[in-house]
Amino acid sequence: MKILVPVKRVVDYNVKVRVKPDQTGVDLANVKMSMNPFCEIAVEEAIRLKEKGVAEEIIVVSIGPAQAQETIRTALAMGADRGILIQTDDAAEPLAIAKLLKAVVDEEGPEIVLLGKQAIDGDNNQTGQMLAALLDWPQGTFASEVEIADGKAKVTREIDGGLQTLSLSLPAVVTTDLRLNEPRYASLPNIMKAKRKPIDTKTPADYGVDTAPRLTVVKVTEPPKREAGIKVESVAELVDKLKNEAGVI
Ligand code: AMP
C-alpha cells in the first residue's frame, strides 16, 4: 500500500510572527521556515505504518516555492521514500491545493492520504476535507489514533468532550491531531541518505490546475496587546474584583 503525505512549509512555530506595516500579511523576510507540525505528525504516522508492515511506500508532496524542497528533504530524512514538489510562488488556497493533491492521487494511487489537520500559518483546516470531497473518499479528521486492518482504517477522533471512533473503508483521507504521535528526529545517517532519495519537480500547470486566488485578504492585524496584571492583597479583594470588576462570578 502507498501512503501519500502532503507537507507544507510554514513559518516555524517558535517564531513570533510580525504583521507587515501595510497590513497585507505577515512579514516573511529572514524568518525561519519549517515543516508544519501537524504534517510532521502525518509523516511520523506514515513511517510507523510502514514499520508495522502496513505500507510499502511513503510519498511526500509539497506545493510551494523552490525552498519547499527542504521540507520534502526533512520528510525523506525522517523515513519517507520519495517526494514530489509542485513548484509555485503563488500562495495557493486550500481548494487549489486539494485539486492538485487529487491529481497526484489519481496519478499515484495511494490507499491513504495522511494530512495535517491544519497548517499553522493560515489555520484553514480545510484541505483534507476538500480533498476527501473531491475524491469522494471517506474521511477521518483530527485523528489521535489510526489502525489499519482488513481494508479498513479505524480512526479515533478528538472531538469536544471526548473521543469518537470511526471505521473507514479504504481508500481514505485521514488528518492528524496533536496527540497522534511524537515525531522522530532524523538521524545524521538518514539525513545523508535522504539526499539521494528522488524528488520529482512539477508545476500546477502540469496537472491543469489554476492556483490563482479566489479570496481577497482585506487586512491582517496584530492581536490586541495584553495588559499587565496586578497583585491583590487578599482573597477577599480577589473575590471582590472578580465579582465587581471582571463580572465573572
Ligand atoms: P490547511 O487546510 O491549510 O489548514 O492545511 C491542512 C493540511 O493540508 C496541511 O497540514 C498539509 O498536510 C496539507 N497542505 C496544505 N497546504 C499544503 C501545501 N501547500 N503543500 C502540501 N500540503 C499542504
Side-chain angles (χ1 to χ4, degrees):
M1 165 193 309
K2 284 188 197 176
I3 301 183
L4 182 72
V5 187
V7 295
K8 187 173 188 192
R9 176 179 184 267
V10 297
V11 173
D12 187 272
Y13 73 97
N14 285 307
V15 170
K16 192 176 174 322
V17 290
R18 254 192 275 272
V19 172
K20 287 189 204 163
D22 64 2
Q23 298 192 322
T24 54
V26 163
D27 193 357
L28 295 180
N30 302 318
V31 167
K32 182 177 180 216
M33 306 292 282
S34 298
M35 191 190 306
N36 178 46
F38 293 107
C39 301
E40 272 186 352
I41 294 172
V43 173
E44 174 65 35
E45 197 61 22
I47 297 167
R48 291 186 189 189
L49 289 170
K50 190 176 171 189
E51 287 169 347
K52 281 187 202 151
V54 173
E56 279 111 48
E57 191 183 27
I58 302 165
I59 307 157
V60 287
V61 52
S62 192
I63 298 130
Q67 298 91 318
Q69 202 178 112
E70 293 158 22
T71 314
I72 294 175
R73 285 277 171 225
T74 306
L76 298 178
M78 287 170 73
D81 296 294
R82 64 185 166 92
I84 302 169
L85 169 66
I86 306 178
Q87 201 173 321
T88 172
D89 288 325
D90 289 346
E93 289 166 0
L95 183 58
I97 302 285
K99 286 179 182 170
L100 287 167
L101 294 176
K102 180 185 183 295
V104 175
V105 168
D106 290 343
E107 213 169 80
E108 296 286 351
E111 285 217 66
I112 304 174
V113 185
L114 252 173
L115 305 93
K117 75 165 178 183
Q118 83 192 52
I120 61 166
D121 52 0
D123 273 351
N124 293 312
N125 179 7
Q126 293 173 10
T127 309
Q129 294 87 329
M130 287 179 171
L131 176 63
L134 292 175
L135 288 167
D136 199 17
W137 285 9
Q139 57 179 303
T141 51
F142 313 125
S144 62
E145 218 180 308
V146 176
E147 269 175 55
I148 310 290
D150 308 323
K152 299 229 180 272
K154 198 168 113 192
V155 176
T156 305
R157 308 181 57 229
E158 299 205 354
I159 56 171
D160 279 351
L163 298 172
Q164 180 192 50
T165 304
L166 298 177
S167 175
L168 315 176
S169 52
L170 297 179
V173 171
V174 176
T175 73
T176 63
D177 214 325
L178 202 58
R179 278 158 289 273
L180 180 59
N181 62 48
E182 219 172 283
R184 69 195 63 193
Y185 289 104
S187 66
L188 192 57
N190 285 346
I191 293 173
M192 301 311 288
K193 252 196 252 167
K195 291 186 201 280
R196 289 191 303 273
K197 292 184 179 176
I199 299 180
D200 244 4
T201 303
K202 307 266 193 180
T203 65
D206 293 337
Y207 296 102
V209 174
D210 167 18
T211 56
R214 266 58 169 179
L215 303 172
T216 309
V217 175
V218 179
K219 68 173 175 175
V220 177
T221 50
E222 302 256 0
K225 293 250 178 307
R226 277 183 73 176
E227 287 182 22
I230 55 157
K231 249 189 185 166
V232 290
E233 296 296 329
S234 64
V235 173
E237 191 188 344
L238 173 65
V239 172
D240 177 65
K241 285 198 182 300
L242 290 175
K243 221 185 224 163
N244 300 317
E245 282 182 26
V248 291
I249 56 172

